[in-house]
Amino acid sequence: MIRVEATVREDKEQCVIIGLPDVSIKESRERILNCLHALKEDIDMKKITIHLSPADVKKQGTSYDAAMLLAVLQAMTKKPLDIPEKTCFIAALTLNGELTTFHSMIPTIHQALSILKIQLGHPFIASGFNGVFALLQQQLPQVCIIIIRINDSQ
């Protein structure tokens, strides 16, 4: 499982993704910046650093887009969302700020369920999370963002 963290600080305007990202993840930077503009977030004179860990494992694909956007929003807000530790965000972003599916989405979801040790019939799967992606969910709302969370009582 890949953990996504972000920091945002006052500095020369820049967005960097670290942690062995491949080319498609490096391109996520533009999608994330476009989404932040669509959400009317002020990113002028901000340095955004997104870390994908573990740092020694190569990451590929666009499935981390939603998680990276949420990590940046968490770092920018004064009142972060209370996101349970065992929560997985899986979705790609378009340039105009919409969540979308991606190549190999089903195997990615299956792998996440397998790592979280839950069966397909029992995960909590929902569209949207506390309204963070409400602006972005315009097409394919049933598959735009998949949130998988384990209820510790199960």
Side-chain angles (χ1 to χ4, degrees):
M1 190 63 64
I2 303 301
R3 183 175 184 83
V4 181
E5 304 168 294
T7 61
V8 178
R9 66 175 193 224
E10 298 289 325
D11 203 341
K12 183 177 142 185
E13 192 171 316
Q14 186 179 15
C15 181
V16 181
I17 301 173
I18 59 175
L20 282 180
D22 75 349
V23 174
S24 63
I25 292 178
K26 288 179 182 178
E27 291 174 353
S28 295
R29 181 176 65 90
E30 292 304 320
R31 292 187 293 273
I32 291 164
L33 291 174
N34 277 296
C35 287
L36 291 171
H37 284 290
L39 290 167
K40 305 210 182 318
E41 291 291 336
D42 179 21
I43 57 172
D44 291 335
M45 297 307 293
K46 301 260 189 327
K47 180 175 182 181
I48 300 168
T49 304
I50 301 168
H51 178 238
L52 306 174
S53 61
D56 61 344
V57 175
K58 183 88 170 155
K59 287 73 160 191
Q60 63 183 14
T62 58
S63 63
Y64 304 106
D65 285 5
M68 288 189 288
L69 176 60
L70 183 57
V72 170
L73 289 170
Q74 287 280 82
M76 293 178 78
T77 185
K78 292 178 180 25
K79 186 179 176 187
L81 296 172
D82 182 25
I83 300 173
E85 184 67 27
K86 295 178 181 178
T87 303
C88 180
F89 295 88
I90 303 170
L93 300 169
T94 65
L95 286 177
N96 60 355
E98 295 174 352
L99 295 165
T100 187
T101 58
F102 55 90
H103 177 70
S104 76
M105 185 172 196
I106 300 301
T108 301
I109 293 168
H110 187 286
Q111 181 182 17
L113 293 172
S114 170
I115 290 170
L116 294 173
K117 295 181 174 48
I118 49 180
Q119 296 181 7
L120 280 173
H122 299 101
F124 166 73
I125 299 179
S127 157
F129 190 80
N130 291 348
V132 172
F133 295 106
L135 175 66
L136 305 175
Q137 289 186 16
Q138 294 172 9
Q139 294 181 356
L140 307 173
Q142 70 280 11
V143 292
C144 284
I145 182 165
I146 306 296
I147 302 167
I148 303 170
R149 177 174 50 201
I150 292 179
N151 182 346
D152 287 330
S153 64
Q154 288 183 331

